[in-house]
Every structure is written in structure tokens, then in C-alpha cells.
Amino acid sequence: MRAELQELHRTTKSTIIYVTHDQVEAMTLADRIVVLSEGQVQQADHPIALYKEPDNLFVGQFIGSPKMNVFPARVETVDGTTAKIVTDDGWSVVLNGAKGVRAGEKLQLGIRPEDLSLAELAAADITVRAVLSERLGMETYVSFQTAGEPAIARIAGDHRIGTGEQVPLKINHNACHLFDNAGQAIRRA
Amino acid sequence: MSSITLTNIRKRFGALEVIKGVDISIAQGEFAVFVGPSGCGKSTLLRMIAGLESISDGEFRLDGELMNDVSPDKRGLAMVFQSYALYPHMTVAENIGFSLDLKGTNKAEIRRRVGEVADKLQLEKLLDRKPQALSGGQRQRGCHRASDHQGTEGHPVR
């Protein structure tokens, strides 16, 4: 179906508007995705721009599956454009390019499941307690409890991880997203 | 087709506003995809563009021309529904040629145009079949093409 639509578009060169619930269709077919919520446009851009630079938490969580994890957090210190962000769970990340945040500010840290990877204990950014692991063969989804909603790490490859097991994870710092408390993105430079 | 500009588009059903001021512009030849949770208004917006829903407020322009009050068949666009929009009692050929038949186009011309469509879509061998004798993909193609076909006549498929 996707291939046929792509071919149809290529041969007719028609302007096309397509409505779908299917993420993969939207991501692969669109020159531009228009994300709507409650009768308003949340963001309209190239699929990869939506994925990499969502304007707000809604778009961040709508694009991508499993959806982006959100950790309630606070800015502990700011040094130039480098900020130390401490989550309500008590772990922290130091992010560069975090301009425009103030020490003490409450915000929300967004990390996609695929930006959490399995690490050696010594190299781990955080160690979490697995509440559920789902083995898909090519990858393993590890759900873990947080102060907020449960979060998911999408780990490459097959791993047998038991409930209650401690799982050391590495965070892709460059792909961390910041949102203010109203859910608007705080752009990283 | 064409460039599409929506400016501050609104849709109200009585007191309930379901489209709350949408601005979108879609360039010529662009493939735009509307996504959002159920009830976000994406299908309503599509139906407003097609002319199946009226526009309560704002402007919809096609190639710069105001389309708000232009009837669906004069907009020069086509709409395909998710469910197969084929009449079960008609053959593939009759389905594809239906809108031309309604317009009173002569039989030879209908046959020629249906042939063109079927050729493009590799449906030639299936023209005498009825929809229930087609696979899902073949059915989709049947209505895709029917719409494309009607699209050139500026007639959306219902």
C-alpha cells in the first residue's frame, strides 16, 4: 500500500493530502506531516524535523513509538549554556546547548526509548529497576518505574531481563528534549 | 492538482467549535499527511477541503482562488475513502466509468477512458469482475483510479 501510494504520487505529481492513524505511513510517505490536536495544528513540518525537534510535548509524544518518556525535573545549576538537570527520581543529566533555562526552574525532560541503551555498569548514566521486559527478537523493551509515568528503554538486540532486575542504561545526551511546564519545547542550540 | 492554502479555518457545529483556526499551506506536488488522535479534526478538515463539509470561517484557496463556497464537483480535486468506495453490483469497468456515465458521456469515450485507467493500474484483466471477486489491493486500486479519473473531471468520489 505504501509503495503504491508513493508510486501514485511519483507518477501523477499530484498534490496529496492523506489522513492516517498509521505512524509508519505518515513518516515514510509525507513531505510534511501536520499534527492536529483538538482542532488546532500543533506542528507542521518534515517528518524527521517533527521527530528531532518537536515544538511541544504533544508532538514529542505523538511521533515515535513507543512514545517519548517524560521525566519531571528541575534545573539545578547553569554554567553558560550547560545545565545540570535533576529529575524527580534523583538522577541527573548535564546538557549543553540548554540556553534560556534558569537555575531552580521546573521543567520536563524528554528522552525517547531508543535514546536509552544498555551499558556496562561502570559506564551507565542511570540504573533502573525493570518492571517488565518484552523481547521482540531484534530489540527488547524494558519498562521501568519512575516518579512519574512508567518509562521504556528500547534496547537493541535480545536480552533476557527479569522483573526487579537492575538495568544500567546510557542516555544519548544530544537527543534529550526539554519542555517547560506548559509543554512548550525549550530549544537546545 | 495544485497549491492549497488554509487561513484561519474554523468549523462549528452549533455552539461546538471543532476546528479552531487552522493555518496550513501545502505546495504544489507536496504529499501532506494529517495525523492526530481520534476527534482531533483531521477528517473534518479533509472533508472541508473536499467540499463535503461547509467552512464556518476562514479561507480555503486552491491555487490562490477562494474555494469556500465552490461546490465539490467544481473544485477540481478528488477524494478517496478508507473503505472501498465501489458499488458491489457493478463490474470494475462500470465502477470506474460510473461518474462519466452519470454525466452522459458517450459509451465509446467511457470505454476508452476506462481502458486508460485500467492500463495504468494493471486492472485490464479484471474489468469484468465484480468487487467481491477482487483482492483488497485490487479493490483499493479500483477506487483510487476511479477517483483519479473523476478527479480530472473535478468530481470527488462519495
Side-chain angles (χ1 to χ4, degrees), chain A residues 59-97:
Chain A
V59 175
Q61 291 203 294
F62 193 80
I63 302 289
S65 177
K67 68 178 184 185
M68 182 189 282
N69 301 304
V70 179
F71 303 95
R74 187 175 55 78
V75 181
E76 189 166 88
T77 53
V78 180
D79 178 9
T81 60
T82 302
K84 183 177 182 186
I85 314 287
V86 182
T87 66
D88 290 2
D89 292 310
W91 50 268
S92 64
V93 285
V94 175
L95 301 180
N96 51 33

PDB file of all heavy atoms in Angstrom, chain A residues 59-97:
ATOM      1  N   VAL A  59       3.533  16.837  20.438  1.00  0.00           N
ATOM      2  CA  VAL A  59       4.139  16.322  19.200  1.00  0.00           C
ATOM      3  C   VAL A  59       5.262  15.338  19.546  1.00  0.00           C
ATOM      4  O   VAL A  59       5.392  14.279  18.933  1.00  0.00           O
ATOM      5  CB  VAL A  59       4.669  17.485  18.328  1.00  0.00           C
ATOM      6  CG1 VAL A  59       5.416  16.950  17.108  1.00  0.00           C
ATOM      7  CG2 VAL A  59       3.523  18.382  17.892  1.00  0.00           C
ATOM      8  N   GLY A  60       6.051  15.677  20.562  1.00  0.00           N
ATOM      9  CA  GLY A  60       7.135  14.792  21.004  1.00  0.00           C
ATOM     10  C   GLY A  60       6.626  13.403  21.330  1.00  0.00           C
ATOM     11  O   GLY A  60       7.239  12.393  20.969  1.00  0.00           O
ATOM     12  N   GLN A  61       5.480  13.349  21.982  1.00  0.00           N
ATOM     13  CA  GLN A  61       4.950  12.044  22.389  1.00  0.00           C
ATOM     14  C   GLN A  61       4.090  11.398  21.318  1.00  0.00           C
ATOM     15  O   GLN A  61       3.887  10.189  21.338  1.00  0.00           O
ATOM     16  CB  GLN A  61       4.142  12.193  23.686  1.00  0.00           C
ATOM     17  CG  GLN A  61       5.065  12.521  24.862  1.00  0.00           C
ATOM     18  CD  GLN A  61       4.458  12.130  26.193  1.00  0.00           C
ATOM     19  OE1 GLN A  61       3.454  12.687  26.609  1.00  0.00           O
ATOM     20  NE2 GLN A  61       5.057  11.157  26.855  1.00  0.00           N
ATOM     21  N   PHE A  62       3.581  12.219  20.382  1.00  0.00           N
ATOM     22  CA  PHE A  62       2.723  11.644  19.337  1.00  0.00           C
ATOM     23  C   PHE A  62       3.547  10.962  18.253  1.00  0.00           C
ATOM     24  O   PHE A  62       3.175   9.922  17.718  1.00  0.00           O
ATOM     25  CB  PHE A  62       1.827  12.720  18.717  1.00  0.00           C
ATOM     26  CG  PHE A  62       0.734  12.137  17.879  1.00  0.00           C
ATOM     27  CD1 PHE A  62      -0.409  11.628  18.475  1.00  0.00           C
ATOM     28  CD2 PHE A  62       0.868  12.052  16.502  1.00  0.00           C
ATOM     29  CE1 PHE A  62      -1.401  11.046  17.708  1.00  0.00           C
ATOM     30  CE2 PHE A  62      -0.126  11.472  15.730  1.00  0.00           C
ATOM     31  CZ  PHE A  62      -1.264  10.973  16.333  1.00  0.00           C
ATOM     32  N   ILE A  63       4.688  11.563  17.916  1.00  0.00           N
ATOM     33  CA  ILE A  63       5.567  10.996  16.891  1.00  0.00           C
ATOM     34  C   ILE A  63       6.576  10.095  17.581  1.00  0.00           C
ATOM     35  O   ILE A  63       7.264  10.522  18.502  1.00  0.00           O
ATOM     36  CB  ILE A  63       6.304  12.122  16.113  1.00  0.00           C
ATOM     37  CG1 ILE A  63       5.319  13.097  15.463  1.00  0.00           C
ATOM     38  CG2 ILE A  63       7.297  11.552  15.108  1.00  0.00           C
ATOM     39  CD1 ILE A  63       4.549  12.553  14.278  1.00  0.00           C
ATOM     40  N   GLY A  64       6.675   8.856  17.112  1.00  0.00           N
ATOM     41  CA  GLY A  64       7.610   7.902  17.716  1.00  0.00           C
ATOM     42  C   GLY A  64       6.867   6.857  18.521  1.00  0.00           C
ATOM     43  O   GLY A  64       5.870   7.151  19.163  1.00  0.00           O
ATOM     44  N   SER A  65       7.363   5.634  18.448  1.00  0.00           N
ATOM     45  CA  SER A  65       6.708   4.535  19.152  1.00  0.00           C
ATOM     46  C   SER A  65       7.756   3.517  19.607  1.00  0.00           C
ATOM     47  O   SER A  65       8.577   3.094  18.790  1.00  0.00           O
ATOM     48  CB  SER A  65       5.691   3.868  18.230  1.00  0.00           C
ATOM     49  OG  SER A  65       5.100   2.770  18.859  1.00  0.00           O
ATOM     50  N   PRO A  66       7.770   3.094  20.882  1.00  0.00           N
ATOM     51  CA  PRO A  66       6.953   3.613  21.978  1.00  0.00           C
ATOM     52  C   PRO A  66       7.202   5.112  22.175  1.00  0.00           C
ATOM     53  O   PRO A  66       8.226   5.620  21.759  1.00  0.00           O
ATOM     54  CB  PRO A  66       7.446   2.824  23.197  1.00  0.00           C
ATOM     55  CG  PRO A  66       8.189   1.637  22.653  1.00  0.00           C
ATOM     56  CD  PRO A  66       8.720   2.063  21.335  1.00  0.00           C
ATOM     57  N   LYS A  67       6.241   5.768  22.811  1.00  0.00           N
ATOM     58  CA  LYS A  67       6.309   7.230  22.873  1.00  0.00           C
ATOM     59  C   LYS A  67       7.445   7.728  23.769  1.00  0.00           C
ATOM     60  O   LYS A  67       7.958   6.983  24.627  1.00  0.00           O
ATOM     61  CB  LYS A  67       4.972   7.800  23.319  1.00  0.00           C
ATOM     62  CG  LYS A  67       4.612   7.491  24.757  1.00  0.00           C
ATOM     63  CD  LYS A  67       3.289   8.149  25.115  1.00  0.00           C
ATOM     64  CE  LYS A  67       2.998   7.910  26.598  1.00  0.00           C
ATOM     65  NZ  LYS A  67       1.699   8.417  26.995  1.00  0.00           N
ATOM     66  N   MET A  68       7.802   8.986  23.550  1.00  0.00           N
ATOM     67  CA  MET A  68       8.868   9.628  24.314  1.00  0.00           C
ATOM     68  C   MET A  68       8.575   9.563  25.819  1.00  0.00           C
ATOM     69  O   MET A  68       7.453   9.822  26.243  1.00  0.00           O
ATOM     70  CB  MET A  68       8.983  11.090  23.864  1.00  0.00           C
ATOM     71  CG  MET A  68      10.091  11.866  24.543  1.00  0.00           C
ATOM     72  SD  MET A  68       9.984  13.645  24.160  1.00  0.00           S
ATOM     73  CE  MET A  68      10.663  13.695  22.508  1.00  0.00           C
ATOM     74  N   ASN A  69       9.602   9.201  26.591  1.00  0.00           N
ATOM     75  CA  ASN A  69       9.473   9.238  28.054  1.00  0.00           C
ATOM     76  C   ASN A  69       9.569  10.679  28.532  1.00  0.00           C
ATOM     77  O   ASN A  69      10.346  11.468  27.981  1.00  0.00           O
ATOM     78  CB  ASN A  69      10.610   8.446  28.702  1.00  0.00           C
ATOM     79  CG  ASN A  69      10.630   6.993  28.262  1.00  0.00           C
ATOM     80  OD1 ASN A  69       9.642   6.277  28.399  1.00  0.00           O
ATOM     81  ND2 ASN A  69      11.756   6.557  27.711  1.00  0.00           N
ATOM     82  N   VAL A  70       8.816  10.990  29.572  1.00  0.00           N
ATOM     83  CA  VAL A  70       8.880  12.338  30.139  1.00  0.00           C
ATOM     84  C   VAL A  70       9.189  12.241  31.625  1.00  0.00           C
ATOM     85  O   VAL A  70       8.503  11.527  32.369  1.00  0.00           O
ATOM     86  CB  VAL A  70       7.548  13.087  29.938  1.00  0.00           C
ATOM     87  CG1 VAL A  70       7.628  14.477  30.554  1.00  0.00           C
ATOM     88  CG2 VAL A  70       7.234  13.201  28.463  1.00  0.00           C
ATOM     89  N   PHE A  71      10.253  12.915  32.029  1.00  0.00           N
ATOM     90  CA  PHE A  71      10.661  12.904  33.427  1.00  0.00           C
ATOM     91  C   PHE A  71      10.512  14.319  34.007  1.00  0.00           C
ATOM     92  O   PHE A  71      11.193  15.241  33.551  1.00  0.00           O
ATOM     93  CB  PHE A  71      12.124  12.456  33.546  1.00  0.00           C
ATOM     94  CG  PHE A  71      12.400  11.106  32.933  1.00  0.00           C
ATOM     95  CD1 PHE A  71      12.881  11.009  31.628  1.00  0.00           C
ATOM     96  CD2 PHE A  71      12.160   9.941  33.647  1.00  0.00           C
ATOM     97  CE1 PHE A  71      13.130   9.764  31.057  1.00  0.00           C
ATOM     98  CE2 PHE A  71      12.419   8.691  33.075  1.00  0.00           C
ATOM     99  CZ  PHE A  71      12.901   8.605  31.778  1.00  0.00           C
ATOM    100  N   PRO A  72       9.634  14.493  34.993  1.00  0.00           N
ATOM    101  CA  PRO A  72       9.551  15.787  35.671  1.00  0.00           C
ATOM    102  C   PRO A  72      10.921  16.083  36.294  1.00  0.00           C
ATOM    103  O   PRO A  72      11.538  15.184  36.883  1.00  0.00           O
ATOM    104  CB  PRO A  72       8.490  15.561  36.763  1.00  0.00           C
ATOM    105  CG  PRO A  72       7.748  14.337  36.345  1.00  0.00           C
ATOM    106  CD  PRO A  72       8.709  13.500  35.574  1.00  0.00           C
ATOM    107  N   ALA A  73      11.395  17.314  36.149  1.00  0.00           N
ATOM    108  CA  ALA A  73      12.757  17.611  36.575  1.00  0.00           C
ATOM    109  C   ALA A  73      12.899  19.078  36.977  1.00  0.00           C
ATOM    110  O   ALA A  73      11.940  19.863  36.899  1.00  0.00           O
ATOM    111  CB  ALA A  73      13.722  17.290  35.442  1.00  0.00           C
ATOM    112  N   ARG A  74      14.099  19.430  37.377  1.00  0.00           N
ATOM    113  CA  ARG A  74      14.394  20.779  37.842  1.00  0.00           C
ATOM    114  C   ARG A  74      15.812  21.113  37.381  1.00  0.00           C
ATOM    115  O   ARG A  74      16.673  20.240  37.304  1.00  0.00           O
ATOM    116  CB  ARG A  74      14.331  20.758  39.377  1.00  0.00           C
ATOM    117  CG  ARG A  74      14.453  22.090  40.081  1.00  0.00           C
ATOM    118  CD  ARG A  74      14.241  21.891  41.601  1.00  0.00           C
ATOM    119  NE  ARG A  74      15.155  20.881  42.152  1.00  0.00           N
ATOM    120  CZ  ARG A  74      16.440  21.107  42.436  1.00  0.00           C
ATOM    121  NH1 ARG A  74      16.963  22.296  42.248  1.00  0.00           N
ATOM    122  NH2 ARG A  74      17.194  20.137  42.921  1.00  0.00           N
ATOM    123  N   VAL A  75      16.030  22.389  37.055  1.00  0.00           N
ATOM    124  CA  VAL A  75      17.369  22.835  36.683  1.00  0.00           C
ATOM    125  C   VAL A  75      18.138  23.085  37.973  1.00  0.00           C
ATOM    126  O   VAL A  75      17.730  23.904  38.800  1.00  0.00           O
ATOM    127  CB  VAL A  75      17.320  24.140  35.854  1.00  0.00           C
ATOM    128  CG1 VAL A  75      18.732  24.565  35.450  1.00  0.00           C
ATOM    129  CG2 VAL A  75      16.436  23.968  34.631  1.00  0.00           C
ATOM    130  N   GLU A  76      19.243  22.339  38.164  1.00  0.00           N
ATOM    131  CA  GLU A  76      19.996  22.546  39.405  1.00  0.00           C
ATOM    132  C   GLU A  76      20.983  23.696  39.252  1.00  0.00           C
ATOM    133  O   GLU A  76      20.957  24.649  40.016  1.00  0.00           O
ATOM    134  CB  GLU A  76      20.724  21.275  39.826  1.00  0.00           C
ATOM    135  CG  GLU A  76      21.334  21.416  41.217  1.00  0.00           C
ATOM    136  CD  GLU A  76      21.762  20.089  41.788  1.00  0.00           C
ATOM    137  OE1 GLU A  76      22.916  19.674  41.540  1.00  0.00           O
ATOM    138  OE2 GLU A  76      20.935  19.457  42.476  1.00  0.00           O
ATOM    139  N   THR A  77      21.857  23.573  38.229  1.00  0.00           N
ATOM    140  CA  THR A  77      22.834  24.643  38.008  1.00  0.00           C
ATOM    141  C   THR A  77      22.919  24.972  36.526  1.00  0.00           C
ATOM    142  O   THR A  77      22.628  24.124  35.678  1.00  0.00           O
ATOM    143  CB  THR A  77      24.243  24.223  38.485  1.00  0.00           C
ATOM    144  OG1 THR A  77      24.572  22.977  37.861  1.00  0.00           O
ATOM    145  CG2 THR A  77      24.310  24.073  39.995  1.00  0.00           C
ATOM    146  N   VAL A  78      23.304  26.192  36.242  1.00  0.00           N
ATOM    147  CA  VAL A  78      23.528  26.609  34.862  1.00  0.00           C
ATOM    148  C   VAL A  78      24.915  27.216  34.778  1.00  0.00           C
ATOM    149  O   VAL A  78      25.277  28.060  35.598  1.00  0.00           O
ATOM    150  CB  VAL A  78      22.484  27.655  34.408  1.00  0.00           C
ATOM    151  CG1 VAL A  78      22.745  28.085  32.968  1.00  0.00           C
ATOM    152  CG2 VAL A  78      21.079  27.103  34.541  1.00  0.00           C
ATOM    153  N   ASP A  79      25.698  26.737  33.802  1.00  0.00           N
ATOM    154  CA  ASP A  79      27.030  27.292  33.595  1.00  0.00           C
ATOM    155  C   ASP A  79      27.139  27.644  32.113  1.00  0.00           C
ATOM    156  O   ASP A  79      27.362  26.769  31.276  1.00  0.00           O
ATOM    157  CB  ASP A  79      28.084  26.258  34.020  1.00  0.00           C
ATOM    158  CG  ASP A  79      29.506  26.760  33.780  1.00  0.00           C
ATOM    159  OD1 ASP A  79      29.673  27.952  33.455  1.00  0.00           O
ATOM    160  OD2 ASP A  79      30.440  25.944  33.893  1.00  0.00           O
ATOM    161  N   GLY A  80      26.943  28.905  31.802  1.00  0.00           N
ATOM    162  CA  GLY A  80      26.902  29.304  30.392  1.00  0.00           C
ATOM    163  C   GLY A  80      25.680  28.689  29.744  1.00  0.00           C
ATOM    164  O   GLY A  80      24.553  28.947  30.165  1.00  0.00           O
ATOM    165  N   THR A  81      25.898  27.832  28.731  1.00  0.00           N
ATOM    166  CA  THR A  81      24.750  27.167  28.112  1.00  0.00           C
ATOM    167  C   THR A  81      24.671  25.704  28.537  1.00  0.00           C
ATOM    168  O   THR A  81      23.948  24.910  27.937  1.00  0.00           O
ATOM    169  CB  THR A  81      24.834  27.236  26.573  1.00  0.00           C
ATOM    170  OG1 THR A  81      26.033  26.599  26.158  1.00  0.00           O
ATOM    171  CG2 THR A  81      24.797  28.677  26.079  1.00  0.00           C
ATOM    172  N   THR A  82      25.447  25.341  29.554  1.00  0.00           N
ATOM    173  CA  THR A  82      25.408  23.971  30.056  1.00  0.00           C
ATOM    174  C   THR A  82      24.575  23.930  31.337  1.00  0.00           C
ATOM    175  O   THR A  82      24.793  24.734  32.245  1.00  0.00           O
ATOM    176  CB  THR A  82      26.836  23.471  30.342  1.00  0.00           C
ATOM    177  OG1 THR A  82      27.587  23.568  29.139  1.00  0.00           O
ATOM    178  CG2 THR A  82      26.831  22.017  30.798  1.00  0.00           C
ATOM    179  N   ALA A  83      23.612  23.032  31.354  1.00  0.00           N
ATOM    180  CA  ALA A  83      22.728  22.974  32.515  1.00  0.00           C
ATOM    181  C   ALA A  83      22.715  21.573  33.103  1.00  0.00           C
ATOM    182  O   ALA A  83      22.738  20.580  32.376  1.00  0.00           O
ATOM    183  CB  ALA A  83      21.323  23.398  32.115  1.00  0.00           C
ATOM    184  N   LYS A  84      22.691  21.522  34.410  1.00  0.00           N
ATOM    185  CA  LYS A  84      22.519  20.236  35.079  1.00  0.00           C
ATOM    186  C   LYS A  84      21.050  20.106  35.454  1.00  0.00           C
ATOM    187  O   LYS A  84      20.490  20.940  36.167  1.00  0.00           O
ATOM    188  CB  LYS A  84      23.398  20.165  36.334  1.00  0.00           C
ATOM    189  CG  LYS A  84      23.315  18.817  37.024  1.00  0.00           C
ATOM    190  CD  LYS A  84      24.246  18.742  38.212  1.00  0.00           C
ATOM    191  CE  LYS A  84      24.175  17.354  38.847  1.00  0.00           C
ATOM    192  NZ  LYS A  84      24.958  17.299  40.093  1.00  0.00           N
ATOM    193  N   ILE A  85      20.436  19.058  34.913  1.00  0.00           N
ATOM    194  CA  ILE A  85      19.006  18.828  35.107  1.00  0.00           C
ATOM    195  C   ILE A  85      18.839  17.636  36.044  1.00  0.00           C
ATOM    196  O   ILE A  85      19.372  16.554  35.763  1.00  0.00           O
ATOM    197  CB  ILE A  85      18.315  18.481  33.766  1.00  0.00           C
ATOM    198  CG1 ILE A  85      18.750  19.421  32.626  1.00  0.00           C
ATOM    199  CG2 ILE A  85      16.806  18.413  33.917  1.00  0.00           C
ATOM    200  CD1 ILE A  85      18.204  20.803  32.684  1.00  0.00           C
ATOM    201  N   VAL A  86      18.139  17.824  37.131  1.00  0.00           N
ATOM    202  CA  VAL A  86      17.924  16.731  38.083  1.00  0.00           C
ATOM    203  C   VAL A  86      16.459  16.304  38.024  1.00  0.00           C
ATOM    204  O   VAL A  86      15.554  17.142  38.158  1.00  0.00           O
ATOM    205  CB  VAL A  86      18.286  17.166  39.522  1.00  0.00           C
ATOM    206  CG1 VAL A  86      18.091  15.998  40.495  1.00  0.00           C
ATOM    207  CG2 VAL A  86      19.711  17.668  39.572  1.00  0.00           C
ATOM    208  N   THR A  87      16.230  15.034  37.801  1.00  0.00           N
ATOM    209  CA  THR A  87      14.843  14.556  37.708  1.00  0.00           C
ATOM    210  C   THR A  87      14.276  14.338  39.106  1.00  0.00           C
ATOM    211  O   THR A  87      15.018  14.234  40.087  1.00  0.00           O
ATOM    212  CB  THR A  87      14.761  13.218  36.941  1.00  0.00           C
ATOM    213  OG1 THR A  87      15.424  12.207  37.715  1.00  0.00           O
ATOM    214  CG2 THR A  87      15.419  13.327  35.573  1.00  0.00           C
ATOM    215  N   ASP A  88      12.949  14.236  39.159  1.00  0.00           N
ATOM    216  CA  ASP A  88      12.299  13.951  40.442  1.00  0.00           C
ATOM    217  C   ASP A  88      12.696  12.584  40.974  1.00  0.00           C
ATOM    218  O   ASP A  88      12.496  12.295  42.156  1.00  0.00           O
ATOM    219  CB  ASP A  88      10.771  14.042  40.291  1.00  0.00           C
ATOM    220  CG  ASP A  88      10.307  15.486  40.076  1.00  0.00           C
ATOM    221  OD1 ASP A  88      11.181  16.386  40.011  1.00  0.00           O
ATOM    222  OD2 ASP A  88       9.082  15.709  39.969  1.00  0.00           O
ATOM    223  N   ASP A  89      13.254  11.742  40.092  1.00  0.00           N
ATOM    224  CA  ASP A  89      13.751  10.432  40.527  1.00  0.00           C
ATOM    225  C   ASP A  89      15.116  10.541  41.192  1.00  0.00           C
ATOM    226  O   ASP A  89      15.608   9.583  41.762  1.00  0.00           O
ATOM    227  CB  ASP A  89      13.882   9.477  39.330  1.00  0.00           C
ATOM    228  CG  ASP A  89      12.529   9.106  38.777  1.00  0.00           C
ATOM    229  OD1 ASP A  89      11.659   8.715  39.561  1.00  0.00           O
ATOM    230  OD2 ASP A  89      12.351   9.225  37.545  1.00  0.00           O
ATOM    231  N   GLY A  90      15.767  11.708  41.056  1.00  0.00           N
ATOM    232  CA  GLY A  90      17.036  11.919  41.738  1.00  0.00           C
ATOM    233  C   GLY A  90      18.268  11.724  40.874  1.00  0.00           C
ATOM    234  O   GLY A  90      19.381  11.991  41.311  1.00  0.00           O
ATOM    235  N   TRP A  91      18.126  11.297  39.615  1.00  0.00           N
ATOM    236  CA  TRP A  91      19.298  11.204  38.753  1.00  0.00           C
ATOM    237  C   TRP A  91      19.397  12.464  37.905  1.00  0.00           C
ATOM    238  O   TRP A  91      18.445  13.246  37.814  1.00  0.00           O
ATOM    239  CB  TRP A  91      19.317   9.933  37.906  1.00  0.00           C
ATOM    240  CG  TRP A  91      18.066   9.611  37.141  1.00  0.00           C
ATOM    241  CD1 TRP A  91      17.037   8.829  37.575  1.00  0.00           C
ATOM    242  CD2 TRP A  91      17.721  10.059  35.821  1.00  0.00           C
ATOM    243  NE1 TRP A  91      16.064   8.772  36.608  1.00  0.00           N
ATOM    244  CE2 TRP A  91      16.462   9.511  35.524  1.00  0.00           C
ATOM    245  CE3 TRP A  91      18.352  10.862  34.875  1.00  0.00           C
ATOM    246  CZ2 TRP A  91      15.825   9.742  34.306  1.00  0.00           C
ATOM    247  CZ3 TRP A  91      17.712  11.102  33.665  1.00  0.00           C
ATOM    248  CH2 TRP A  91      16.460  10.539  33.394  1.00  0.00           C
ATOM    249  N   SER A  92      20.558  12.675  37.318  1.00  0.00           N
ATOM    250  CA  SER A  92      20.744  13.936  36.605  1.00  0.00           C
ATOM    251  C   SER A  92      21.421  13.749  35.253  1.00  0.00           C
ATOM    252  O   SER A  92      22.073  12.726  35.005  1.00  0.00           O
ATOM    253  CB  SER A  92      21.570  14.896  37.468  1.00  0.00           C
ATOM    254  OG  SER A  92      22.857  14.353  37.662  1.00  0.00           O
ATOM    255  N   VAL A  93      21.220  14.738  34.393  1.00  0.00           N
ATOM    256  CA  VAL A  93      21.953  14.802  33.122  1.00  0.00           C
ATOM    257  C   VAL A  93      22.524  16.210  32.991  1.00  0.00           C
ATOM    258  O   VAL A  93      21.907  17.174  33.451  1.00  0.00           O
ATOM    259  CB  VAL A  93      21.057  14.515  31.890  1.00  0.00           C
ATOM    260  CG1 VAL A  93      20.732  13.046  31.769  1.00  0.00           C
ATOM    261  CG2 VAL A  93      19.782  15.355  31.912  1.00  0.00           C
ATOM    262  N   VAL A  94      23.702  16.292  32.409  1.00  0.00           N
ATOM    263  CA  VAL A  94      24.284  17.596  32.124  1.00  0.00           C
ATOM    264  C   VAL A  94      24.152  17.808  30.624  1.00  0.00           C
ATOM    265  O   VAL A  94      24.665  17.022  29.828  1.00  0.00           O
ATOM    266  CB  VAL A  94      25.764  17.659  32.564  1.00  0.00           C
ATOM    267  CG1 VAL A  94      26.389  18.989  32.137  1.00  0.00           C
ATOM    268  CG2 VAL A  94      25.861  17.485  34.070  1.00  0.00           C
ATOM    269  N   LEU A  95      23.386  18.829  30.240  1.00  0.00           N
ATOM    270  CA  LEU A  95      23.099  19.054  28.821  1.00  0.00           C
ATOM    271  C   LEU A  95      23.718  20.361  28.360  1.00  0.00           C
ATOM    272  O   LEU A  95      23.565  21.393  29.015  1.00  0.00           O
ATOM    273  CB  LEU A  95      21.588  19.110  28.591  1.00  0.00           C
ATOM    274  CG  LEU A  95      20.782  17.872  28.995  1.00  0.00           C
ATOM    275  CD1 LEU A  95      19.305  18.092  28.693  1.00  0.00           C
ATOM    276  CD2 LEU A  95      21.285  16.622  28.269  1.00  0.00           C
ATOM    277  N   ASN A  96      24.401  20.284  27.228  1.00  0.00           N
ATOM    278  CA  ASN A  96      24.898  21.545  26.667  1.00  0.00           C
ATOM    279  C   ASN A  96      23.865  22.111  25.695  1.00  0.00           C
ATOM    280  O   ASN A  96      22.912  21.417  25.307  1.00  0.00           O
ATOM    281  CB  ASN A  96      26.271  21.377  26.031  1.00  0.00           C
ATOM    282  CG  ASN A  96      26.299  20.215  25.060  1.00  0.00           C
ATOM    283  OD1 ASN A  96      25.294  19.946  24.414  1.00  0.00           O
ATOM    284  ND2 ASN A  96      27.411  19.520  24.976  1.00  0.00           N
ATOM    285  N   GLY A  97      24.060  23.341  25.313  1.00  0.00           N
ATOM    286  CA  GLY A  97      23.110  23.998  24.409  1.00  0.00           C
ATOM    287  C   GLY A  97      21.781  24.297  25.066  1.00  0.00           C
ATOM    288  O   GLY A  97      20.802  24.585  24.390  1.00  0.00           O
TER     289      GLY A  97
END
